[in-house]
Amino acid sequence: MKHVLKGDGRLGHDLDPQDRAPQDACGVFGVWAPGEDVSKLTYYGLYALQHRGQESAGIAVSEGSRILVYKDMGLVAQVFDESVLGTLRGHLAIGHCRYSTTGSSVWENAQPTLSSSDGGGLALAHNGNLINTPDLMARLPSGATRATTDTEVLTSLLARDPGTSIEDAAADLLPEVKGAYSLVFMDEKTLYAARDPQGIRPLVLGRLDRGWVVASETAALDIVGAVFTREIEPGELLTIDERGVRSRRFALAEPKGCLFEYVYLARPDTTIAGRGVQATRVEVGRKLAREHPVEADLVIPTPESGTPAAIGYAQESGIPYGQGLVKNSYVGRTFIQPSQTIRQLGIRLKLNPLREVIAGKRLIVVDDSIVRGNTQRAIVKMLREAGATEVHVRISSPPVSWPCFYGIDFATKAELIAGSLEVEQIRESIGADSLGFISLDGLTEATTLPAERLCRACFDGSYPIPIDRDNVGKFVLEAKA
Ligand code: SF4
């Protein structure tokens, strides 16, 4: 039988593969629930978190004496089927869907990672990106690992000492780990969860009738029928077993949640710090209308990420809201390389204008962010060709001018259009009649959190955890090897 390679999911939800939207650094899920089908709960949890990573997926499960891991490249629904899930039996499980931020997108780097020592096994799943990985690697005996990811290094360090419990090992190690990490990990009997002292990436705890769930977003709790209990605190380590949930603090909390989760990364039906993401995005649209008003006939979103802010803009401005672009959500999920002719269609593969809605109208197009500008340039051109008389672009985030080192794979500063151009130059470059970005203060206010509790570094260059540029980068371990 011919072996068919699975795709790497790199043609995810981007409208233009050459102008990729910011990519998240994974979704994590964990469940401790004797008597439940934990691998299926994890599968559905990962399904709800698929937007956070589309390159690979994996589940680790244990029935009390042995950890089994199954992982592969591709989307959750491509990696798992009924027969695979049927072999993953136990009372606790963790799962992961990956977008690579440290280490290449290859099978070996898919998660959960697994380490076994005399003391037993340890499986670990990580959302975020560490910024002192080479320092951590140096703590391992030479030759102990051929790890190319920050997550493998962490797994090896946690599992190393058979004389120390995993809980104590984590409490000792985590204060030394720098960067963003929302972790779920497990040995044969116990589920653990931990969040970095800044709480950059989200992580929440939920309750099932017969157990507990930990997940990157509240939307993943909803899908498995778990009731939201609370957020895992920055600097907190949870241990979950038959004795219940135990909390241990390994560092003082210095909350700096990622502002970009509100803009784009998190699902609209997720709640962060008590505030629904959809409500925040609609409010950003209202503020955008106040900050950048313009006379027009119709407000349309770039589907789907621009939709909530476009609704807010229309509500505040009184200009009708409409659907001017239709998105084919499925075409980009193919793993067939497009032919040259198809590739030249570019964004038209994914978006098609509704001519009868657009023709003769002055349009306001609302999008969530501008990375390189290619997508917006193509959209403006497409709308003009469909008969729009004016195209005004409004963006529900401030200009992204700085790279992220905490788990979001933006382009480099040189590739970010706002890294070198002013707003008027960007307007000219994308060919819009006018261009307006929400202010950083406006976006921050919409979250209802004070600025000091947020990471806003990709917008203002102020990094809450100091960066040593020699020790960061996607291929930092591969380069040093
Ligand atoms: S730099 Fe931007 S994307 Fe990265 S954690 Fe901070 S706010 Fe989020």
Side-chain angles (χ1 to χ4, degrees):
M1 196 174 81
K2 194 174 162 209
H3 180 64
V4 181
L5 278 179
K6 288 194 179 177
D8 66 359
R10 281 193 170 273
L11 286 179
H13 47 266
D14 306 302
L15 294 173
D16 176 356
Q18 305 311 315
D19 186 14
R20 308 194 72 206
Q23 303 298 312
D24 208 320
C26 316
V28 296
F29 187 89
V31 53
W32 187 93
E36 297 283 355
D37 192 341
V38 292
S39 61
K40 279 204 177 149
L41 288 175
T42 307
Y43 171 83
Y44 281 108
L46 292 181
Y47 208 83
L49 298 171
Q50 183 73 85
H51 61 290
R52 298 185 74 86
Q54 291 125 32
E55 292 179 356
S56 60
I59 293 176
V61 66
S62 171
E63 31 49 296
S65 62
R66 181 172 74 118
I67 299 175
L68 273 181
V69 178
Y70 188 92
K71 60 184 184 178
D72 208 341
M73 306 304 290
L75 301 169
V76 176
Q78 293 174 306
V79 171
F80 296 99
D81 59 23
E82 196 76 51
S83 64
V84 170
L85 290 172
T87 63
L88 299 173
R89 304 212 157 273
H91 71 274
L92 80 157
I94 62 172
H96 189 266
C97 49
R98 180 171 195 245
Y99 176 79
S100 50
T101 49
T102 303
S104 306
S105 176
V106 293
W107 185 90
E108 290 73 12
N109 290 343
Q111 297 184 31
T113 48
L114 179 67
S115 175
S116 41
S117 67
D118 296 345
L122 175 84
L124 184 142
H126 172 203
N127 174 205
N129 198 49
L130 306 186
I131 58 168
N132 67 335
T133 309
D135 296 346
L136 296 172
M137 181 89 163
R139 291 165 167 245
L140 288 166
S142 100
T145 175
R146 292 169 64 201
T148 57
T149 70
D150 49 356
T151 311
E152 280 175 282
V153 173
L154 210 49
T155 312
S156 300
L157 283 168
L158 280 173
R160 202 156 49 108
D161 186 358
T164 310
S165 71
I166 302 271
E167 187 183 336
D168 287 343
D172 285 348
L173 175 69
L174 293 178
E176 310 299 322
V177 178
K178 306 278 178 260
Y181 52 93
S182 282
L183 304 175
V184 292
F185 48 112
M186 61 186 272
D187 57 22
E188 290 78 2
K189 294 187 166 61
T190 309
L191 175 67
Y192 305 89
R195 201 167 168 209
D196 63 79
Q198 288 73 28
I200 288 187
R201 300 276 145 246
L203 194 62
V204 294
L205 175 69
R207 173 102 226 205
L208 289 168
D209 284 346
R210 295 195 282 184
W212 297 94
V213 172
V214 177
S216 293
E217 294 188 29
T218 59
L221 302 183
D222 299 338
I223 201 171
V224 298
V227 179
F228 172 74
T229 305
R230 64 176 177 86
E231 297 200 356
I232 293 166
E233 293 289 316
E236 184 182 21
L237 168 66
L238 289 187
T239 304
I240 303 171
D241 58 17
E242 66 283 350
R243 289 184 285 157
V245 178
R246 295 187 296 288
S247 166
R248 188 161 163 179
R249 181 157 288 289
F250 64 85
L252 279 178
E254 304 165 38
K256 295 282 181 192
C258 168
L259 182 54
F260 217 82
E261 292 277 351
Y262 292 91
V263 172
Y264 173 80
L265 304 172
R267 280 173 59 134
D269 52 345
T270 275
T271 298
I272 305 176
R275 169 86 157 146
V277 169
Q278 171 82 2
T280 301
R281 289 176 186 165
V282 172
E283 179 59 23
V284 171
R286 289 198 195 99
K287 287 180 181 291
L288 195 51
R290 291 199 287 276
E291 290 185 8
H292 297 285
V294 63
E295 279 192 23
D297 304 309
L298 190 67
V299 180
I300 66 168
T302 299
E304 282 96 20
S305 54
T307 302
I311 292 170
Y313 196 105
Q315 286 173 350
E316 184 70 22
S317 64
I319 300 169
Y321 170 87
Q323 202 73 38
L325 292 162
V326 174
K327 183 175 180 184
N328 181 345
S329 304
Y330 295 96
V331 71
R333 300 216 180 272
T334 176
F335 291 110
I336 308 293
Q337 280 296 317
S339 69
Q340 188 57 28
T341 320
I342 296 284
R343 208 193 311 266
Q344 277 164 1
L345 288 173
I347 204 164
R348 278 183 183 269
L349 265 175
K350 292 214 172 173
L351 286 184
N352 215 8
L354 284 167
R355 283 184 175 71
E356 60 279 21
V357 174
I358 290 166
K361 301 250 174 56
R362 298 169 299 170
L363 298 179
I364 297 169
V365 191
V366 182
D367 207 345
D368 60 279
S369 55
I370 296 186
V371 179
R372 290 179 176 80
N374 301 346
T375 304
Q376 289 72 24
R377 193 175 303 116
I379 288 174
V380 170
K381 183 164 177 272
M382 188 193 290
L383 293 171
R384 289 201 197 282
E385 284 169 3
T389 55
E390 292 174 21
V391 182
H392 303 275
V393 176
R394 296 293 179 268
I395 304 293
S396 62
S397 64
V400 177
S401 312
W402 301 86
C404 173
F405 298 102
Y406 311 134
I408 306 303
D409 194 17
F410 284 133
T412 61
K413 185 165 169 59
E415 291 166 320
L416 290 165
I417 193 167
S420 56
L421 299 187
E422 298 299 323
V423 174
E424 176 54 22
Q425 293 169 305
I426 300 172
R427 181 203 65 74
E428 208 172 301
S429 164
I430 65 174
D433 291 289
S434 74
L435 171 64
F437 291 86
I438 185 83
S439 65
L440 186 51
D441 286 347
L443 173 60
T444 304
E445 277 168 26
T447 68
T448 69
L449 288 175
E452 337 48 281
R453 288 181 67 101
L454 291 164
C455 173
R456 314 191 302 173
C458 48
F459 304 119
D460 66 5
S462 172
Y463 292 93
I465 316 170
I467 307 293
D468 170 1
R469 291 188 186 248
D470 287 340
N471 271 342
V472 293
K474 181 163 179 172
F475 304 110
V476 63
L477 292 182
E478 280 148 287
K480 285 188 193 272

